[in-house]
Amino acid sequence: MAAIVDPGKCTACGSCASVCPVEAIKVDDAAKVDPDTCIECGACVNECPCEAISLS
């Protein structure tokens, strides 16, 4: 399953997008993950300072 962003926790800092190896994350008001592109590597989960991203 692709990474999931909790928009209530996300501050749109862009840290997750900067470490995504397949550019599956776009950031506007909150990060959004393209589930078709996400390879479930977990890089974004480890990078997020707000703990707003999970792999479920």
Side-chain angles (χ1 to χ4, degrees):
M1 176 178 270
I4 299 170
V5 178
D6 179 342
K9 291 182 180 179
C10 180
T11 62
C13 71
S15 294
C16 56
S18 69
V19 298
C20 181
V22 294
E23 299 180 359
I25 303 172
K26 304 297 180 221
V27 181
D28 290 316
D29 294 336
K32 293 180 181 65
V33 179
D34 178 351
D36 295 328
T37 306
C38 179
I39 60 171
E40 302 173 27
C41 67
C44 57
V45 175
N46 295 328
E47 184 68 21
C48 181
C50 303
E51 300 181 352
I53 307 174
S54 63
L55 290 175
S56 297

